[in-house]
Amino acid sequence: MSENTATAAVAPTSGPPDGGRARRAVTGILGSAAGRNTGLVVALVLLCLVGVITAGDRFADVDNLLTILRLASVIGVVSVGMTFVITGGGIDLSVGAIVALSSVWATTLATQSVANDAHWSALVFTALAVGAGCGVINGGLIAYGRIVAFIATLAMLAAARGLAEILSNRKTQIVNVPGFTAFFDASVLGVPVLVIIFVVVAIVGWVVLNRTTFGRRTFAVGGNPEAARLAGIDVRRHTVLLYTLLGVCCGIAAVMLIARTTTGSSTHGVLYELDAIAAVVIGGTLLSGGRGTIAGTVFGVLIFTTLSNVFTLNNLSISAQAVAKGAIIVVAVLLQQRLARRGDT
């Protein structure tokens, strides 16, 4: 099963042992980087060269590179989940608001009290549960309520952000759970835990999308929902699962954001939906569904994060960054359309 090819095959196949599967996942991502995502690799390398030329040692410094990876890790986790939804023919405009709501709910005094009395994992579980719950609601409204994904998730965007403001009373909630902050502030062989989480999520996402029945069904549903239904796939159930998966990713991102800022806030995750969709699109996933690539999404996230870092180091305005991002998105979509037309001929 190719990462960029839709298929209606749904029969389960026997896979390698877990260790072999993990090794194949890493090999597959690296293979994608060298093959189908060559253009993205070149773009990232060019951006790094521009950073070195314009900012010198400030860009090439190890601390700055780790900063780029930390920033990329949070939106990267959301983008992995968004890849599944868009590959399945959907869209989600509420991910930023879900991240905010998850961060606020997980940092209320009640939740922190439980985390301090029992274990800090209670904070993590709360964020994941809130994210998953929002995903189930989105998926249910779209699949069973037959509400257009754009409208359903737009409603969730407004509702989740509003609920986050009510819960927090529009105040920033400070995290006071020592075990939580100690764990997520740590590093393994010099690599921050947040970056490791992103890498693990990306590898797991690649395996699920390309080496499991769930992934094959996602391609099938995104490519042709009616054909998928006739092939025996419960399209509505699968749609709910896709949005739930994205909700869980938002919960993970909320935990990472809480760890990075030591706060929960209704202002967290602003414009995350646009950043995630942009990373997915320039990574090569079709907005119309049926084709998706986790490796491309990872490079898309790194390209946008590196671009923002280069602009910041050179004291260029946020408005200029927005213009550059918009131009990149337009070019990516135009290239997608051109390639799609070539594929039809």
Side-chain angles (χ1 to χ4, degrees):
M1 174 68 197
S2 171
E3 194 172 29
N4 292 321
T5 305
T7 178
V10 296
T13 57
S14 59
D18 292 340
R21 178 166 292 183
R23 287 192 295 272
R24 288 196 177 194
V26 176
T27 303
I29 291 177
L30 294 176
S32 295
R36 290 179 292 272
N37 297 302
T38 301
L40 295 174
V41 175
V42 171
L44 182 59
V45 170
L46 290 176
L47 267 177
C48 291
L49 289 176
V50 170
V52 171
I53 293 171
T54 59
D57 292 338
R58 289 184 300 152
F59 177 84
D61 185 72
V62 174
D63 289 337
N64 183 62
L65 297 179
L66 289 177
T67 297
I68 293 175
L69 292 176
R70 286 192 192 95
L71 293 174
S73 61
V74 178
I75 189 62
V77 169
V78 176
S79 299
V80 169
M82 185 70 79
T83 303
F84 279 86
V85 167
I86 294 180
T87 301
I91 196 76
D92 194 336
L93 303 180
S94 64
V95 292
I98 294 175
V99 168
L101 178 60
S102 299
S103 76
V104 166
W105 209 315
T107 55
T108 59
L109 291 177
T111 305
Q112 292 196 56
S113 177
V114 172
N116 281 316
D117 292 341
H119 192 271
W120 58 261
S121 59
L123 192 153
V124 176
F125 175 79
T126 300
L128 296 183
V130 172
C134 291
V136 170
I137 294 173
N138 276 338
L141 291 174
I142 294 165
Y144 295 98
R146 298 186 182 279
I147 299 176
V148 177
F150 180 90
I151 300 300
T153 57
L154 186 63
M156 177 60 74
L157 183 156
R161 186 75 68 180
L163 182 56
E165 291 177 352
I166 292 172
L167 288 175
S168 65
N169 197 25
R170 295 190 175 184
K171 295 180 180 179
T172 299
Q173 299 176 165
I174 307 300
V175 176
N176 187 24
V177 183
F180 174 84
T181 52
F183 178 83
F184 287 98
D185 281 344
S187 298
V188 178
L189 300 177
V191 181
V193 168
L194 297 184
V195 177
I196 294 174
I197 293 173
F198 175 36
V199 172
V200 171
V201 169
I203 292 174
V204 172
W206 189 92
V207 170
V208 172
L209 188 61
N210 297 282
R211 293 292 185 267
T212 67
T213 300
F214 183 87
R216 290 190 286 274
R217 288 176 176 174
T218 300
F219 284 112
V221 170
N224 190 326
E226 182 60 20
R229 184 185 68 81
L230 294 174
I233 299 175
D234 188 337
V235 175
R236 292 189 297 181
R237 177 175 176 274
H238 194 80
T239 298
V240 174
L241 290 176
L242 286 174
Y243 281 93
T244 303
L245 186 152
L246 177 52
V248 171
C249 286
C250 289
I252 296 172
V255 171
M256 297 167 72
L257 196 55
I258 293 169
R260 202 182 76 199
T261 64
T262 65
T263 63
S265 173
S266 60
T267 61
H268 281 336
V270 173
L271 296 182
Y272 269 24
E273 52 277 356
L274 298 183
D275 289 341
I277 293 172
V280 172
V281 169
I282 73 165
T285 298
L286 286 180
L287 276 173
S288 56
R291 190 182 78 185
T293 160
I294 296 295
T297 295
V298 171
F299 280 113
V301 169
L302 292 176
I303 286 172
F304 276 126
T305 308
T306 303
L307 179 69
S308 296
N309 183 261
V310 171
F311 272 62
T312 300
L313 291 177
N314 287 282
N315 297 319
L316 297 175
S317 69
I318 295 177
S319 300
Q321 294 182 38
V323 171
K325 287 183 178 180
I328 292 173
I329 295 170
V330 170
V331 171
V333 173
L334 289 175
L335 287 174
Q336 277 193 5
Q337 292 176 345
R338 184 173 181 180
L339 292 173
R341 286 195 296 269
R342 283 184 177 179
D344 293 336
T345 57

